[in-house]
Amino acid sequence: VKGPATEWLAQPDQIATCWRRGRFYGDQTFDYAVGDLSDGASASVTVLADQPRAGQGYTLSVKRQGAQAALTLTSAGQRLGTGAAAWRNDSTVELRRAGSRLTALMDGTAAFTVSVPADASGSLGFAAQGYVPRLSSASLWTANRIDETFEKAPVNWWVASGTWDLTNRWACSPQWSWFGGFSQAVAAIWYKRETAGDVALDYYVGPKMLSNDQVNSEFVGDFNLVIDGDGKSLFTGYCVAVNPTEGGVRLYRQGQPVALNAHYELVRRSGPTTLEYFRSHNRWFNVRAELVGSRVSVSVEGQEVLSWTDPAPLKRGFSAIWTRTNGIMVPRVSLTFERLAEGLLPSPAGK
């Protein structure tokens, strides 16, 4: 769950095309090693696309032409900038957005700069033609995102309830450990910084094996989260419950149920697909909740499973991850936001 490929979604109808999960806001830089481009091959990166599909946003293409590399920036079918640079075996192309300036660089040298709307946001995509790309050669920096893998102490999070620590996932294989939480009641952690505007909370999660009366058990569910909450109560803001004991996917706004997908099953537990439930013993699930404008959506494993339009959208608050009468492992969390607000949690939530 820490590899580069987990953050990219393949485009089924286009070969060697993929989109980074979610939208991006504010300043950002994408760079890609193009030294392995064969003569005539090309690579392109698209930023600030309103929808993750070709023809949207701003696309920088680099094409190798012998010992030269040709750079072209297009948007909505219009050519906005061109440039050329010497191609090397270790060449890197870069697209850098800073405020209203979008700059294309080759090996650290600016080829051209164009203007973009200062408040523009959108999806980021990558495509290749004439060669096999490697996502491990790409890197992305963005100011409006935190990406936690908990390799260091989780100082950006408040423990509101339950026990949270580096812990083993499987009682039968205690040498495998990640950050996780568990409780016989509620286990919850809040991110300390308040966000404003659009926001998305995305995390990988798996069940923790718990021991009870000498029996090891795990529940694949209650993979829950909150966005735009008050930092204290889990049923403030937009609260999402994925496969709770009641089943389905549920969305609450300020404690009131507003959307339900009662038919969604995280894993099937009966009939000829019972084996699927046991396969989750070693599986990581991706859960994501996102507010863009007035639309709240919930996705599991990259598939949207619930959405709702809020006539009076919340636009400020804190984010949380939680579970109930369960244990969960959380190896990676990403929080993307339009901007950070001034607020910090005034005191440890729930204390």
Side-chain angles (χ1 to χ4, degrees):
V1 294
K2 296 182 182 180
T6 59
E7 292 298 302
W8 294 89
L9 302 176
Q11 194 78 3
D13 57 345
Q14 297 183 39
I15 298 175
T17 300
C18 52
W19 290 87
R20 185 86 174 196
R21 195 190 307 274
R23 295 177 69 88
F24 294 90
Y25 306 85
D27 294 349
Q28 55 196 264
T29 298
F30 178 89
D31 64 71
Y32 183 75
V34 294
D36 58 350
L37 279 178
S38 57
D39 195 9
S42 64
S44 63
V45 57
T46 298
V47 297
L48 306 178
D50 189 54
Q51 297 291 332
R53 60 173 180 260
Q56 296 277 326
Y58 299 82
T59 298
L60 174 66
S61 299
V62 54
K63 183 176 183 178
R64 182 184 170 190
Q65 298 174 331
Q68 293 288 309
L71 287 78
T72 306
L73 182 72
T74 58
S75 180
Q78 300 296 314
R79 183 175 295 182
L80 303 181
T82 59
W87 177 85
R88 307 192 315 237
N89 289 332
D90 60 350
S91 283
T92 299
V93 66
E94 182 178 330
L95 189 57
R96 180 185 301 168
R97 186 264 181 97
S100 60
R101 294 166 60 87
L102 187 64
T103 303
L105 303 95
M106 185 80 174
D107 297 323
T109 300
F112 51 82
T113 298
V114 301
S115 296
V116 298
D119 60 350
S121 66
S123 301
L124 183 149
F126 177 80
Q129 188 173 25
Y131 83 113
V132 179
R134 292 180 297 177
L135 290 177
S136 58
S137 298
S139 62
L140 171 67
W141 173 87
T142 175
N144 294 27
R145 175 185 170 101
I146 64 100
D147 198 8
E148 294 268 18
T149 55
F150 303 105
E151 294 180 353
K152 298 180 180 179
V155 296
N156 294 318
W157 299 83
W158 284 123
V159 174
S161 59
T163 300
W164 293 84
D165 204 346
L166 186 67
T167 182
N168 62 69
R169 177 174 176 179
W170 303 287
C172 55
S173 300
Q175 70 273 24
W176 295 100
S177 297
W178 292 270
F179 183 66
F182 58 94
S183 175
Q184 291 301 315
V186 172
I189 52 172
W190 289 88
Y191 188 65
K192 291 181 180 179
R193 295 293 304 271
E194 185 181 26
T195 62
D198 294 350
V199 62
L201 180 60
D202 184 301
Y203 75 111
Y204 288 86
V205 58
K208 174 178 170 58
M209 183 180 289
L210 300 175
S211 297
N212 184 20
D213 296 329
Q214 308 303 315
V215 176
N216 294 325
S217 63
E218 54 191 8
F219 173 58
V220 186
D222 262 317
F223 298 157
N224 309 328
L225 57 85
V226 177
I227 53 176
D228 284 340
D230 67 0
K232 297 178 181 179
S233 173
L234 295 171
F235 281 85
T236 56
Y238 301 106
C239 178
V240 175
V242 176
N243 198 38
T245 53
E246 305 92 330
V249 179
R250 298 163 187 265
L251 173 64
Y252 303 83
R253 183 195 186 277
Q254 302 291 49
Q256 299 300 313
V258 293
L260 166 67
N261 181 346
H263 302 290
Y264 179 77
E265 291 184 295
L266 190 61
V267 291
R268 297 183 184 275
R269 304 189 189 183
S270 60
T273 55
T274 302
L275 181 60
E276 184 179 347
Y277 181 79
F278 293 100
R279 286 176 179 155
S280 63
H281 176 69
N282 295 311
R283 183 176 173 184
W284 296 107
F285 297 87
N286 177 254
V287 177
R288 178 183 182 89
E290 185 170 18
L291 171 67
V292 177
S294 60
R295 187 175 188 269
V296 184
S297 62
V298 180
S299 299
V300 180
E301 300 291 80
Q303 176 185 5
E304 186 173 287
V305 295
L306 182 149
S307 67
W308 177 70
T309 299
D310 189 346
L314 307 172
K315 283 296 182 178
R316 190 183 182 110
F318 297 91
S319 299
I321 294 170
W322 65 284
T323 191
R324 178 177 52 186
T325 319
N326 194 19
I328 57 174
M329 310 300 296
V330 184
R332 184 172 190 169
V333 180
S334 296
L335 179 64
T336 308
F337 43 86
E338 193 169 351
R339 61 189 181 276
L340 283 173
E342 296 295 326
L344 288 171
L345 285 177
S347 63
K351 301 296 185 184

